[in-house]
Amino acid sequence: MKAISSMATRRVLADLAEAAAAAGLPLLQLESVGGVDAAQRVTAGEPFDLVFLAEDALQRLAAERHVDPASIAPIVLSDVAVGVAARSADAAACSGGTAFTNADELRSALRAAFRIGYSTGPSGLELLRMIDHWGMTDEVSDRLVQARPGVPVARLLADGEVDLGLQQLSELVGQPGVCILGVLPADCAISTVFAGAVATSSNNAARAAEMLAFFRSDLAASIKSLHSFRAP
């Protein structure tokens, strides 16, 4: 069975696929690429059994009849977190709780940062929309650094390309050279629901649907938590 996903969920999906195989489901050959690239490949007609992307991206693919709309199933919810280079941070700052008290503190951090790293995909777009809503686009646009497709913000931080990075918590956890300050506070939180769907090109739609059901089962919950995702 063949699947494609965005980079944000590659690790958790790999572990979920391993658990599914141990439970007697088919082996899943998973390829993870940038979300935009994944959607383009599905749109171009490349055959897959399952597609895992942000839920809104899957809805667009469903509208174009590339995935079965009735099969779209939320798998995980991902929160955006804030990181800095570990070498520039006090160890006590790496709390992993909430990065700032409120949106005012985030705005201050953005103004103070020399370079601000953000990701491709839905979380990056939402950050740009939020900055624009705050009227800060002109103020910070020349300091925004979008990670190249397939390159995590964590690497930008570790390599010194940026000094403040915002990306899904699951993409920052455990990455070398990164201190995670925490997730964004409630008044400016960015969360993305990643879902799965059966591709209309699948030759085994029934088994693909069984795989999705397993990924949403109680047996999968602990795997999602280990990768710093929440239930949608």
Side-chain angles (χ1 to χ4, degrees):
M1 190 168 291
K2 187 178 178 183
I4 193 167
S5 80
S6 59
M7 295 295 289
T9 54
R10 64 191 184 282
R11 297 185 187 93
V12 67
L13 289 176
D15 283 358
L16 287 171
E18 185 177 335
L25 289 167
L27 291 173
L28 186 65
Q29 179 186 347
L30 175 69
E31 183 178 359
S32 298
V33 297
V36 173
D37 290 342
Q40 288 176 342
R41 287 171 60 179
V42 174
T43 300
E46 188 171 340
F48 295 100
D49 295 291
L50 289 164
V51 182
F52 297 95
L53 291 170
E55 191 170 36
D56 58 348
L58 281 181
Q59 294 290 356
R60 289 192 292 271
L61 290 175
E64 298 169 356
R65 301 181 181 275
H66 297 297
V67 301
D68 176 6
S71 72
I72 296 176
I75 304 296
V76 293
L77 188 148
S78 178
D79 297 311
V80 168
V82 183
V84 297
R87 60 183 174 276
S88 64
D90 186 324
C94 304
S95 65
T98 302
F100 305 108
T101 302
N102 51 41
D104 284 339
E105 289 190 3
L106 173 59
R107 287 191 284 268
S108 295
L110 292 173
R111 290 187 173 103
F114 180 66
R115 288 285 186 271
I116 304 157
Y118 71 102
S119 69
T120 58
S123 66
L125 290 174
E126 184 56 33
L127 175 65
L128 294 180
R129 282 194 289 265
M130 191 161 63
I131 288 172
D132 186 63
H133 175 72
W134 289 337
M136 292 178 61
T137 299
D138 291 342
E139 187 176 355
V140 303
S141 61
D142 62 338
R143 293 183 280 121
L144 291 170
V145 179
Q146 186 179 50
R148 300 171 292 281
V151 176
V153 172
R155 189 183 304 172
L156 300 183
L157 286 166
D159 291 348
E161 293 186 49
V162 300
D163 56 315
L164 188 74
L166 294 92
Q167 193 170 29
Q168 286 94 352
L169 175 61
S170 58
E171 286 288 275
L172 296 176
V173 167
Q175 297 306 299
V178 175
C179 164
I180 300 172
L181 302 182
V183 298
L184 293 174
D187 59 350
C188 61
I190 298 174
S191 298
T192 301
V193 174
F194 289 96
V198 178
T200 53
S201 59
S202 176
N203 292 320
N204 200 347
R207 291 294 268 169
E210 289 179 27
M211 184 78 70
L212 282 182
F214 179 87
F215 282 14
R216 297 191 64 190
S217 70
D218 291 342
L219 294 173
S222 61
I223 296 173
K224 297 173 187 180
S225 296
L226 285 173
H227 287 274
S228 300
F229 287 104
R230 294 191 286 129

